Amino acid sequence: SYLKCTSLLSSMVVPFAYTRTLSWLDRSKSSLTTGGDSTAPNATLTLDTKLPTVDITPDDAALSIGENTTLTLTLSDAPGNVSDFTFENLSVSNGTLDSVTFTNVNSTTYKVDYTPDVDFEGNVTVLAAAGQFTDAALNPNAEGNLTLAVDTKAPVATITSDINPVNGLQNATISISLS
């Protein structure tokens, strides 16, 4: 008595999650006199090879002087071990993530506050490092990242005159430019 598999998984494709149905014939019920095979029921095998992702979204994506933002980190799959996704998995350029505000909202959602550096103008990158947690199928997470526009530089006023020095009897054109 043996089972003959009529459909095989030829290879595993990464990083996709998919379902493959396997069918087989139960040869134990066949005979030379009847010449037939009876078909056993189908079995379904699910292979999850998709890497979990970390999506990072800010409450405010354009920060200026005196502003900060709360970042929401949404995992596509819950970590297999809930303690695997931690504050230490995060990093940021030109600013600070507040470890005190790092909160596990539920099994796939976390929050943390970001404060940009003072006197900085440019893009800031927030990273959730790859390979820091695994999902229930033991797939390691992919890197998550976010880019924020930040301008915490105070404007500078430049004042110029077409006459220098100006006395009380002259008319001068005064220009003020801001940077």
Side-chain angles (χ1 to χ4, degrees):
S1 170
Y2 66 94
L3 295 176
K4 176 185 173 192
C5 187
T6 60
S7 176
L8 294 174
L9 290 174
S10 59
S11 66
M12 190 179 296
V13 179
V14 175
F16 301 101
Y18 61 93
T19 301
R20 176 72 184 215
T21 301
L22 300 176
S23 302
W24 61 86
L25 299 176
D26 184 350
R27 298 250 183 209
S28 66
K29 296 183 181 172
S30 70
S31 72
L32 292 175
T33 57
T34 61
D37 291 330
S38 63
T39 302
N42 287 336
T44 301
L45 173 65
T46 302
L47 297 177
D48 178 357
T49 59
K50 187 173 183 179
L51 302 180
T53 59
V54 181
D55 184 42
I56 307 171
T57 53
D59 286 349
D60 184 354
L63 300 176
S64 57
I65 296 173
E67 293 183 327
N68 64 3
T69 189
T70 298
L71 305 175
T72 301
L73 300 99
T74 306
L75 314 181
S76 62
D77 296 320
N81 181 349
V82 294
S83 64
D84 284 349
F85 189 74
T86 65
F87 177 78
E88 287 73 26
N89 301 147
L90 306 175
S91 62
V92 65
S93 63
N94 301 302
T96 306
L97 296 172
D98 185 357
S99 63
V100 174
T101 64
F102 183 76
T103 308
N104 180 346
V105 177
N106 59 45
S107 64
T108 59
T109 305
Y110 296 78
K111 291 193 180 266
V112 66
D113 287 347
Y114 165 72
T115 302
D117 285 342
V118 175
D119 202 33
F120 173 78
E121 182 178 7
N123 288 331
V124 169
T125 302
V126 180
L127 292 176
Q132 300 302 304
F133 71 91
T134 59
D135 63 9
L138 301 180
N139 298 308
N141 71 289
E143 179 181 276
N145 63 65
L146 168 71
T147 301
L148 293 170
V150 173
D151 183 2
T152 59
K153 280 193 170 198
V156 175
T158 304
I159 302 171
T160 58
S161 170
D162 63 340
I163 301 173
N164 194 8
V166 178
N167 67 35
L169 300 174
Q170 297 174 307
N171 289 328
T173 301
I174 306 293
S175 299
I176 302 172
S177 60
L178 299 175
S179 64

